Amino acid sequence: MSKQKTLYFCQNCGAQHAKMLGKCTTCNEWGTVVEEIIEKQETKLNWKTSNTKKKLPKAIKIEDISSEKEDRIPTNNKELDTVLGGGIVKGSVILLGGEPGIGKSTLILQIALQIPQKVLYVSGEESKNQIKMRAERLQKGKIPVNECLILTETKTQNIFKSIEETQPEIVVIDSIQTLHTDYIEASPGSISQIRETTAELIKFAKETGTPVLLIGHINKEGSIAGPKILEHMVDVVLQFEGDRNHTYRILRANKNRFGSTAELGIYEMLGNGLREIENPSEILISEKESDLTGTAIAATLEGIRPLMIEVQALVSTAVYGTPQRSATGYNIKRLNMILAVLEKKAGFRLGAKDVFLNIAGGIKIDDPAIDLAVVCAILSSNEDVAIPQNYCFSAEVGLAGEIRAVNKVDQRILEAEKLGFEQIFVSKYCKIPNKNYQIKIVKVAKIEEIYQLLF
Ligand code: TYD
Ligand code: MG
């Protein structure tokens, strides 16, 4: 017998409460608990009282489990394959999150069109015509290599019926927030719907071995909308990010049960879809005149991929009482810290100056090795002295103004060498392998030293 029941869920952590609360008792967030109506179909069995006649799985020794390599489907998209660790694992559920308009649907449709397997693309967001128009834009006269079926449906029961009829090898859901199941009363996009529909899809994927790609929206804090549980449930969480006003997009794995999360994919959004970028360093460094001040190149490492990135700074006299600080693509707190270090250790009077910082290409960098380039770009703008174009930097700056070593310095040096840089500035404490580098390696220990060398 079905019975209507009201439950209260925390939007932040997904915890279930019996009554309305102002503050979630599980994650201690305020104002996140919402009411949801749930249709209960059957009473759940306690695990002890469950039917023992059914064949129960037995616990076995880990040595006795045969070690099969997971079966992977290559996507023909090199960047995505790298991020996934070599293709889509059979029976896995992959969640792709990203801001609206960043290109999630474009990326997935592009893959659906070029992968040799039969794909069922379920869209709850766009009409068949819209998808057709996008597919035409992406293909531009290319002959389709496979069968790609489009279904506009949001009810999971109907989706499973269609799956039974069409027998696809890969299922795409655009997006998980639009789905709903008959078993739950709550509206699509609510926590219990997301949780239930995802659970149904996971069950389907595990039982049939068909991989499922889910597209997920993200909320304004940047995490995937819905409970954190969603990220726990799926096998792989991918994040598609970038600045909408720039053409570059970065694909990262936040979680990957079948590979590392250190890999990174870079794309460029063009008129006919996303282009894979194999050599990102060449593009991220903008063409420039030789005597521009306020720019410095950093040799960073995103995951295991070396990237040469241009840092631009502008230092000008503050017109208002409080100087302005602004940073795009760089942590503003870290910028304030670096400015404080410069003020204290190198005697620069930056307290009366506005400082603007920008990472070229609209991408966001977390690697601390960019610090030294930030320092040099700020100093270059402040002194109005340009840094030679063929210099680059790779080191972290500490609170005492010391220049600290970064990991995998060898890879960074090799990348700089490959791109024709002549000098790289690193920390004195770096363990550099004894190799015959073409590039000149300059070791520095303090901010004062680099100031003496450059200005
Ligand atoms: P879309 O994939 O719809 O984003 P999401 O699903 O993440 O919301 O991408 C939308 C944007 O991408 C849109 O503003 C236009 C742009 N775009 C291109 O620049 N080139 C293309 O070939 C396509 C299909 C889209
Ligand atoms: Mg979309």
Side-chain angles (χ1 to χ4, degrees):
M1 219 187 75
S2 78
K3 190 173 135 227
Q4 193 168 313
K5 197 177 160 190
T6 308
L7 278 178
Y8 300 87
F9 288 98
C10 169
Q11 306 251 24
N12 185 50
C13 68
Q16 185 180 318
H17 302 285
K19 58 172 199 255
M20 188 66 196
L21 296 171
K23 180 181 170 188
C24 173
T25 47
T26 310
C27 66
N28 291 329
E29 282 291 320
W30 286 94
T32 54
V33 178
V34 289
E35 177 184 344
E36 281 182 19
I37 297 165
I38 288 175
E39 193 90 16
K40 275 242 161 167
Q41 292 289 44
E42 68 235 293
T43 44
K44 273 196 185 132
L45 289 175
N46 186 306
W47 70 274
K48 275 183 187 162
T49 58
S50 66
N51 195 348
T52 41
K53 269 182 211 144
K54 259 203 324 206
K55 211 177 142 209
L56 286 176
K58 276 217 176 72
I60 54 170
K61 274 196 215 155
I62 194 158
E63 301 95 276
D64 299 341
I65 305 171
S66 60
S67 54
E68 288 163 25
K69 256 199 113 201
E70 65 271 345
D71 217 352
R72 287 181 190 263
I73 306 171
T75 61
N76 286 345
N77 188 305
K78 246 175 85 192
E79 301 289 302
L80 179 66
D81 279 348
T82 324
V83 175
L84 288 173
I88 301 171
V89 175
K90 289 220 173 116
S92 66
V93 178
I94 297 167
L95 175 67
L96 174 69
E99 279 180 38
I102 205 81
K104 302 179 293 296
S105 306
T106 308
L107 176 69
I108 299 289
L109 186 63
Q110 208 168 324
I111 304 235
L113 292 171
Q114 72 185 25
I115 201 163
Q117 278 75 11
K118 184 171 171 182
V119 181
L120 177 68
Y121 189 105
V122 183
S123 180
E125 307 215 316
E126 287 157 310
S127 69
K128 289 193 174 82
N129 280 340
Q130 277 175 302
I131 301 172
K132 174 72 185 167
M133 266 157 58
R134 175 176 298 150
E136 269 170 359
R137 199 170 159 186
L138 295 176
Q139 286 197 301
K140 286 246 169 86
K142 273 185 261 165
I143 311 146
V145 294
N146 71 345
E147 215 177 321
C148 178
L149 304 165
I150 307 292
L151 175 72
T152 44
E153 177 59 67
T154 53
K155 198 158 100 179
T156 50
Q157 280 74 24
N158 294 350
I159 294 172
F160 288 128
K161 251 180 234 154
S162 170
I163 289 175
E164 238 170 78
E165 270 165 36
T166 54
Q167 297 288 327
E169 288 163 280
I170 295 173
V171 176
V172 170
I173 307 283
D174 188 1
S175 66
I176 186 70
Q177 276 87 2
T178 59
L179 290 195
H180 65 98
T181 168
D182 270 351
Y183 299 119
I184 283 180
E185 195 84 325
S187 56
S190 65
I191 289 151
S192 43
Q193 280 291 7
I194 292 178
R195 192 157 59 179
E196 194 57 35
T197 48
T198 311
E200 285 177 15
L201 288 163
I202 290 176
K203 193 156 171 270
F204 158 76
K206 301 292 164 209
E207 278 172 11
T208 61
T210 314
V212 177
L213 298 175
L214 303 174
I215 293 179
H217 295 171
I218 62 171
N219 56 22
K220 57 179 187 298
E221 287 87 38
S223 58
I224 291 165
K228 256 269 178 274
I229 290 180
L230 186 57
E231 290 180 45
H232 289 297
M233 286 162 87
V234 299
D235 298 308
V236 181
V237 179
L238 301 178
Q239 180 101 14
F240 207 36
E241 56 188 45
D243 190 320
R244 275 183 67 178
N245 302 322
H246 286 84
T247 55
Y248 300 109
R249 302 282 183 268
I250 291 184
L251 184 70
R252 289 176 208 275
N254 286 347
K255 164 183 173 179
N256 191 350
R257 286 190 182 149
F258 314 104
S260 98
T261 51
E263 299 282 359
L264 179 99
I266 301 179
Y267 294 92
E268 185 177 10
M269 182 64 102
L270 300 174
N272 59 347
L274 291 154
R275 185 176 72 93
E276 298 160 52
I277 294 177
E278 274 161 35
N279 200 345
S281 299
E282 278 170 13
I283 320 159
L284 292 173
I285 301 168
S286 59
E287 296 285 320
K288 60 170 184 174
E289 300 290 317
S290 52
D291 55 352
L292 278 186
T293 62
T295 68
I297 313 274
T300 68
L301 210 61
E302 270 295 313
I304 56 163
R305 192 163 178 171
L307 271 183
M308 304 299 283
I309 284 175
E310 185 178 322
V311 181
Q312 304 172 332
L314 176 67
V315 179
S316 66
T317 314
V319 206
Y320 306 108
T322 342
Q324 292 189 64
R325 298 215 175 313
S326 135
T328 321
Y330 188 72
N331 188 337
I332 186 87
K333 285 191 187 144
R334 194 139 186 103
L335 173 65
N336 282 329
M337 182 216 100
I338 284 190
L339 292 178
V341 170
L342 286 178
E343 176 113 57
K344 177 115 183 163
K345 292 291 166 187
F348 306 107
R349 297 195 39 245
L350 286 158
K353 305 266 184 165
D354 289 341
V355 179
F356 305 95
L357 193 78
N358 180 30
I359 308 293
I363 63 170
K364 222 177 111 218
I365 295 296
D366 293 327
D367 186 4
I370 199 169
D371 287 358
L372 191 57
V374 170
V375 164
C376 293
I378 292 171
L379 292 179
S380 160
S381 178
N382 194 40
E383 301 286 325
D384 214 13
V385 175
I387 296 170
Q389 257 187 311
N390 47 17
Y391 285 13
C392 64
F393 307 88
S394 192
E396 187 181 341
V397 173
L399 283 178
E402 81 276 25
I403 292 172
R404 304 169 64 122
V406 286
N407 61 355
K408 300 191 184 124
V409 74
D410 179 45
Q411 273 188 38
R412 303 169 196 262
I413 296 172
L414 288 176
E415 177 77 4
E417 193 177 281
K418 200 171 91 194
L419 291 172
F421 285 91
E422 280 167 22
Q423 286 195 27
I424 182 164
F425 292 78
V426 295
S427 162
K428 199 174 152 188
Y429 310 104
C430 272
K431 289 195 190 75
I432 300 168
N434 242 335
K435 278 193 204 162
N436 230 344
Y437 295 110
Q438 299 290 313
I439 191 169
K440 188 177 166 210
I441 299 169
V442 186
K443 294 181 181 178
V444 279
K446 277 190 243 145
I447 284 190
E448 294 93 311
E449 284 174 33
I450 195 139
Y451 183 74
Q452 297 288 330
L453 284 170
L454 291 175
F455 308 105

